[in-house]
Structure formats: C-alpha cells, structure tokens
Amino acid sequence: MKWMIPFGFLLAGTAFPASAQVVASDVPPAGVRDAGGRREPPLVLAGRFYSAGMLVPESELDVVGRLVEVVDPTLIERSVAPAIQPYDRVLLVVMGNGVAIGERIQLLRSASVVSPWGRIFIPTGSGQVLDVEAGVATVEVDRFYDRVAIDDIAIPMPEFDAPAGVSPVSARGLEGRVVGFQSSEPLIATEDVAFVNLGATSGVVVGDEFEAYFPAGQEVWGRRPEVFVAKLQVLRVSLITSAVRVVSLGHPALQVGLPVRLAARKP
C-alpha cells in the first residue's frame, strides 16, 4: 500500500547543488490579476508540471539526445564524473530528430517499468542548446528538478499551458484506476505523484481533477458505503496515462488499483 500525505510540493530527500534553481513554483503571468490588482495563481504551477514524471511506452518519447559528459577539462584523473552544477555545460550525443541551437530540452531519468503501461521517466533538469557539432550538442543546464546525471536522456521541452485566474468546473464521466507512483518511497509531509490510466486519448488535460475512492461493497454484516480517499489534480498528460498529485486526502490509503473518477474539468 502507498501512503500519501499532502504538504506542498517538495523534492525531499534529494541532494541538489546549493545554488541550483529547483523549480517548484512559478510566478503567475503578469497580465492576470484580480480586482485588487493582485496576481492570480495559475491552475497548475509550471514547476509542478515540469517536475512531474511520465508513465509512457518508451516508443512514445521523442528522445533527441543522451547526456554523456560534463564540460570540465582537467589534467587530474577522476574515478567518478563531477557533479553537475547550475549553469554547467554538458555534452549530449544527438539522437532521433536532433536539436538546434537555441532550443530548450528537458532531461529525464529512466526509472521502473509499470506493465503494461510503460516505463516511468522522472524529470531531472532542463537547459538550452548552445552548439551542435558532428552529432554532439553542448547544453547549458539551468533548471534542476532532481539530480542531473550522465545517461539522462533529453526530449524537447514540453509546452506548458495552464490558465490563471480560473477554477475547475464540476464534471463526471471518466473512470479509471491508479496504476503507479513516481516515487517508490514517498516521505511524510511530501506530496507524491501518482499515475492513472487515463490520458489524452480519453480527453484528459492538465488541470482536470479526479477523486480516488474505495467503492461501496456488500459485507457479511451489511453494505459498506463508498469511502473518499483523495482528490487528485492532473499535472502532466501522456497518450494513455496522466501524472496526478494529491490536492486533499481523506484517508492515507492511496494504492495501485484504487478506482478514480473525474470530479472537475479545466474550464
């Protein structure tokens, strides 16, 4: 059983460089303000979107490179590669559709397989392509979501589109299940990310909300009523799965196989 307790969105238990820009929230668009002139928050924070993992078949990823080296010339022999720091430059072996100078890429770490849905990929950082020569790209890493490391793969930076100053609208219809979790050992006071088996092909979009629940059932002593477990917000959408975070928790009993249903739609 996976227990999940909401308390902000913290990347706990991960060591980052002291000056790393760990993106867990972004400033709302300057043009979206309430009647008092205050900025209204977006429906989903950009940092949550970019740091949310993906559960996808490997064939669905548009892999454009693999991190192979940190640009850190030295005459001193090293037994391990140097830790990647903010604004370090790294080398990518270009793959697939390739990259262009000025393009932004996101780095991912390959994690566990969740059959039959695919593999979990965890964002580690992002950066800008500075140069491409002979099939090798030089990238400056300027955002960290986790520890960036050799063998991370690169994909084009996904587009983030979450309106500010709006609230989800009550809706019904879609039903699915929890199929996995981004972290194998979520920490107390940390919001975890789960995956549900509903994605873009089902019409799910970033900002939609689902409810996880224990269904009603017949017991020897009578009928057990339905029990609300958690409210889940969609952070990132793939074709057949979505990454969701806990918004509110009725019972610390979120687990693989638990049914979910649509509760609200992004307007």
Side-chain angles (χ1 to χ4, degrees), residues 17 35 52 70 75 79 81 87 159 177 188 212 219 224 245 253 264 267:
V70 183
L75 296 177
S79 58
Y87 303 106
E159 293 186 10
R177 292 187 178 276
I188 293 176
E219 305 291 347
R224 174 174 47 80
R245 73 179 182 97

PDB file of all heavy atoms in Angstrom, residues 17 35 52 70 75 79 81 87 159 177 188 212 219 224 245 253 264 267:
ATOM      1  N   PRO A  17      22.802  20.912  -5.794  1.00  0.00           N
ATOM      2  CA  PRO A  17      23.791  21.956  -5.572  1.00  0.00           C
ATOM      3  C   PRO A  17      23.153  23.119  -4.832  1.00  0.00           C
ATOM      4  O   PRO A  17      21.978  23.426  -5.036  1.00  0.00           O
ATOM      5  CB  PRO A  17      24.195  22.354  -7.005  1.00  0.00           C
ATOM      6  CG  PRO A  17      23.847  21.165  -7.843  1.00  0.00           C
ATOM      7  CD  PRO A  17      22.639  20.553  -7.196  1.00  0.00           C
ATOM      8  N   ALA A  35      -9.367  41.759  -8.891  1.00  0.00           N
ATOM      9  CA  ALA A  35      -9.903  43.120  -8.822  1.00  0.00           C
ATOM     10  C   ALA A  35      -9.032  44.035  -7.973  1.00  0.00           C
ATOM     11  O   ALA A  35      -9.023  45.252  -8.166  1.00  0.00           O
ATOM     12  CB  ALA A  35     -11.331  43.083  -8.273  1.00  0.00           C
ATOM     13  N   ALA A  52       6.864  16.836 -12.818  1.00  0.00           N
ATOM     14  CA  ALA A  52       6.047  15.621 -12.761  1.00  0.00           C
ATOM     15  C   ALA A  52       6.579  14.586 -13.747  1.00  0.00           C
ATOM     16  O   ALA A  52       6.931  14.906 -14.883  1.00  0.00           O
ATOM     17  CB  ALA A  52       4.592  15.948 -13.080  1.00  0.00           C
ATOM     18  N   VAL A  70      30.273  15.936 -18.729  1.00  0.00           N
ATOM     19  CA  VAL A  70      30.262  17.310 -18.235  1.00  0.00           C
ATOM     20  C   VAL A  70      31.466  18.028 -18.830  1.00  0.00           C
ATOM     21  O   VAL A  70      32.574  17.485 -18.846  1.00  0.00           O
ATOM     22  CB  VAL A  70      30.346  17.355 -16.697  1.00  0.00           C
ATOM     23  CG1 VAL A  70      30.266  18.796 -16.197  1.00  0.00           C
ATOM     24  CG2 VAL A  70      29.255  16.509 -16.079  1.00  0.00           C
ATOM     25  N   LEU A  75      43.478  18.102 -15.924  1.00  0.00           N
ATOM     26  CA  LEU A  75      44.550  17.122 -16.083  1.00  0.00           C
ATOM     27  C   LEU A  75      44.541  16.096 -14.958  1.00  0.00           C
ATOM     28  O   LEU A  75      45.289  15.120 -14.980  1.00  0.00           O
ATOM     29  CB  LEU A  75      45.909  17.835 -16.119  1.00  0.00           C
ATOM     30  CG  LEU A  75      46.123  18.790 -17.304  1.00  0.00           C
ATOM     31  CD1 LEU A  75      47.472  19.487 -17.173  1.00  0.00           C
ATOM     32  CD2 LEU A  75      46.034  18.030 -18.622  1.00  0.00           C
ATOM     33  N   SER A  79      37.933   9.310 -10.651  1.00  0.00           N
ATOM     34  CA  SER A  79      37.325   7.976 -10.655  1.00  0.00           C
ATOM     35  C   SER A  79      35.835   8.043 -10.947  1.00  0.00           C
ATOM     36  O   SER A  79      35.231   7.067 -11.380  1.00  0.00           O
ATOM     37  CB  SER A  79      37.551   7.284  -9.305  1.00  0.00           C
ATOM     38  OG  SER A  79      37.002   8.065  -8.253  1.00  0.00           O
ATOM     39  N   ALA A  81      32.519  10.840 -12.407  1.00  0.00           N
ATOM     40  CA  ALA A  81      32.219  12.085 -13.108  1.00  0.00           C
ATOM     41  C   ALA A  81      31.868  13.176 -12.101  1.00  0.00           C
ATOM     42  O   ALA A  81      31.283  12.901 -11.048  1.00  0.00           O
ATOM     43  CB  ALA A  81      31.051  11.871 -14.062  1.00  0.00           C
ATOM     44  N   TYR A  87      24.218  25.915 -14.366  1.00  0.00           N
ATOM     45  CA  TYR A  87      24.874  26.570 -15.495  1.00  0.00           C
ATOM     46  C   TYR A  87      26.128  25.842 -15.964  1.00  0.00           C
ATOM     47  O   TYR A  87      26.896  26.390 -16.747  1.00  0.00           O
ATOM     48  CB  TYR A  87      25.157  28.044 -15.183  1.00  0.00           C
ATOM     49  CG  TYR A  87      23.892  28.780 -14.828  1.00  0.00           C
ATOM     50  CD1 TYR A  87      23.612  29.148 -13.515  1.00  0.00           C
ATOM     51  CD2 TYR A  87      22.934  29.057 -15.804  1.00  0.00           C
ATOM     52  CE1 TYR A  87      22.422  29.782 -13.183  1.00  0.00           C
ATOM     53  CE2 TYR A  87      21.746  29.689 -15.476  1.00  0.00           C
ATOM     54  CZ  TYR A  87      21.494  30.051 -14.175  1.00  0.00           C
ATOM     55  OH  TYR A  87      20.316  30.672 -13.851  1.00  0.00           O
ATOM     56  N   GLU A 159       5.559  21.956 -23.867  1.00  0.00           N
ATOM     57  CA  GLU A 159       4.865  23.239 -23.734  1.00  0.00           C
ATOM     58  C   GLU A 159       3.962  23.211 -22.512  1.00  0.00           C
ATOM     59  O   GLU A 159       3.269  22.235 -22.255  1.00  0.00           O
ATOM     60  CB  GLU A 159       4.040  23.527 -24.986  1.00  0.00           C
ATOM     61  CG  GLU A 159       4.876  23.766 -26.232  1.00  0.00           C
ATOM     62  CD  GLU A 159       4.030  24.183 -27.421  1.00  0.00           C
ATOM     63  OE1 GLU A 159       2.825  24.460 -27.209  1.00  0.00           O
ATOM     64  OE2 GLU A 159       4.559  24.228 -28.532  1.00  0.00           O
ATOM     65  N   ARG A 177      -8.190   3.965 -12.981  1.00  0.00           N
ATOM     66  CA  ARG A 177      -7.558   3.425 -11.780  1.00  0.00           C
ATOM     67  C   ARG A 177      -6.170   4.025 -11.583  1.00  0.00           C
ATOM     68  O   ARG A 177      -5.539   4.485 -12.534  1.00  0.00           O
ATOM     69  CB  ARG A 177      -7.436   1.896 -11.863  1.00  0.00           C
ATOM     70  CG  ARG A 177      -8.770   1.184 -11.813  1.00  0.00           C
ATOM     71  CD  ARG A 177      -8.624  -0.326 -11.725  1.00  0.00           C
ATOM     72  NE  ARG A 177      -9.932  -0.951 -11.642  1.00  0.00           N
ATOM     73  CZ  ARG A 177     -10.627  -1.118 -10.524  1.00  0.00           C
ATOM     74  NH1 ARG A 177     -10.113  -0.706  -9.370  1.00  0.00           N
ATOM     75  NH2 ARG A 177     -11.812  -1.689 -10.530  1.00  0.00           N
ATOM     76  N   ILE A 188       6.955  11.389   4.488  1.00  0.00           N
ATOM     77  CA  ILE A 188       5.921  12.106   5.228  1.00  0.00           C
ATOM     78  C   ILE A 188       6.083  13.597   4.979  1.00  0.00           C
ATOM     79  O   ILE A 188       7.184  14.122   4.921  1.00  0.00           O
ATOM     80  CB  ILE A 188       6.024  11.792   6.731  1.00  0.00           C
ATOM     81  CG1 ILE A 188       5.674  10.323   6.966  1.00  0.00           C
ATOM     82  CG2 ILE A 188       5.132  12.692   7.555  1.00  0.00           C
ATOM     83  CD1 ILE A 188       5.840   9.878   8.393  1.00  0.00           C
ATOM     84  N   ALA A 212     -10.165   9.672  -5.946  1.00  0.00           N
ATOM     85  CA  ALA A 212      -9.861   8.266  -5.700  1.00  0.00           C
ATOM     86  C   ALA A 212     -10.730   7.811  -4.533  1.00  0.00           C
ATOM     87  O   ALA A 212     -10.913   8.558  -3.560  1.00  0.00           O
ATOM     88  CB  ALA A 212      -8.388   8.082  -5.371  1.00  0.00           C
ATOM     89  N   GLU A 219     -20.835  -6.636   2.527  1.00  0.00           N
ATOM     90  CA  GLU A 219     -20.118  -7.430   3.514  1.00  0.00           C
ATOM     91  C   GLU A 219     -21.100  -8.361   4.221  1.00  0.00           C
ATOM     92  O   GLU A 219     -22.321  -8.238   4.054  1.00  0.00           O
ATOM     93  CB  GLU A 219     -19.439  -6.505   4.539  1.00  0.00           C
ATOM     94  CG  GLU A 219     -18.513  -5.459   3.930  1.00  0.00           C
ATOM     95  CD  GLU A 219     -17.257  -6.052   3.325  1.00  0.00           C
ATOM     96  OE1 GLU A 219     -16.980  -7.248   3.585  1.00  0.00           O
ATOM     97  OE2 GLU A 219     -16.552  -5.336   2.591  1.00  0.00           O
ATOM     98  N   ARG A 224     -21.225  -1.913   2.937  1.00  0.00           N
ATOM     99  CA  ARG A 224     -20.214  -0.921   3.303  1.00  0.00           C
ATOM    100  C   ARG A 224     -20.311   0.253   2.338  1.00  0.00           C
ATOM    101  O   ARG A 224     -20.286   0.082   1.124  1.00  0.00           O
ATOM    102  CB  ARG A 224     -18.819  -1.533   3.235  1.00  0.00           C
ATOM    103  CG  ARG A 224     -17.692  -0.536   3.451  1.00  0.00           C
ATOM    104  CD  ARG A 224     -16.345  -1.224   3.527  1.00  0.00           C
ATOM    105  NE  ARG A 224     -16.153  -2.202   2.473  1.00  0.00           N
ATOM    106  CZ  ARG A 224     -15.795  -1.904   1.224  1.00  0.00           C
ATOM    107  NH1 ARG A 224     -15.626  -0.646   0.867  1.00  0.00           N
ATOM    108  NH2 ARG A 224     -15.633  -2.861   0.330  1.00  0.00           N
ATOM    109  N   ARG A 245      -1.287  14.726  -8.732  1.00  0.00           N
ATOM    110  CA  ARG A 245      -0.807  14.972  -7.374  1.00  0.00           C
ATOM    111  C   ARG A 245      -1.993  15.027  -6.426  1.00  0.00           C
ATOM    112  O   ARG A 245      -3.125  15.332  -6.823  1.00  0.00           O
ATOM    113  CB  ARG A 245      -0.018  16.275  -7.289  1.00  0.00           C
ATOM    114  CG  ARG A 245      -0.874  17.531  -7.367  1.00  0.00           C
ATOM    115  CD  ARG A 245      -0.041  18.801  -7.243  1.00  0.00           C
ATOM    116  NE  ARG A 245      -0.879  19.992  -7.273  1.00  0.00           N
ATOM    117  CZ  ARG A 245      -1.305  20.642  -6.192  1.00  0.00           C
ATOM    118  NH1 ARG A 245      -0.975  20.201  -4.998  1.00  0.00           N
ATOM    119  NH2 ARG A 245      -2.058  21.718  -6.299  1.00  0.00           N
ATOM    120  N   ALA A 253      -4.583   6.127   2.184  1.00  0.00           N
ATOM    121  CA  ALA A 253      -4.730   4.758   1.687  1.00  0.00           C
ATOM    122  C   ALA A 253      -4.712   4.696   0.165  1.00  0.00           C
ATOM    123  O   ALA A 253      -5.313   3.802  -0.427  1.00  0.00           O
ATOM    124  CB  ALA A 253      -6.030   4.163   2.222  1.00  0.00           C
ATOM    125  N   ALA A 264     -13.748  17.156 -11.776  1.00  0.00           N
ATOM    126  CA  ALA A 264     -13.820  18.524 -12.287  1.00  0.00           C
ATOM    127  C   ALA A 264     -12.947  18.656 -13.527  1.00  0.00           C
ATOM    128  O   ALA A 264     -11.920  17.986 -13.663  1.00  0.00           O
ATOM    129  CB  ALA A 264     -13.375  19.524 -11.222  1.00  0.00           C
ATOM    130  N   PRO A 267     -11.612  24.614 -17.092  1.00  0.00           N
ATOM    131  CA  PRO A 267     -12.560  25.370 -17.933  1.00  0.00           C
ATOM    132  C   PRO A 267     -11.936  25.779 -19.267  1.00  0.00           C
ATOM    133  O   PRO A 267     -10.730  25.850 -19.399  1.00  0.00           O
ATOM    134  CB  PRO A 267     -12.880  26.592 -17.069  1.00  0.00           C
ATOM    135  CG  PRO A 267     -11.730  26.730 -16.137  1.00  0.00           C
ATOM    136  CD  PRO A 267     -11.226  25.340 -15.886  1.00  0.00           C
TER     137      PRO A 267
END
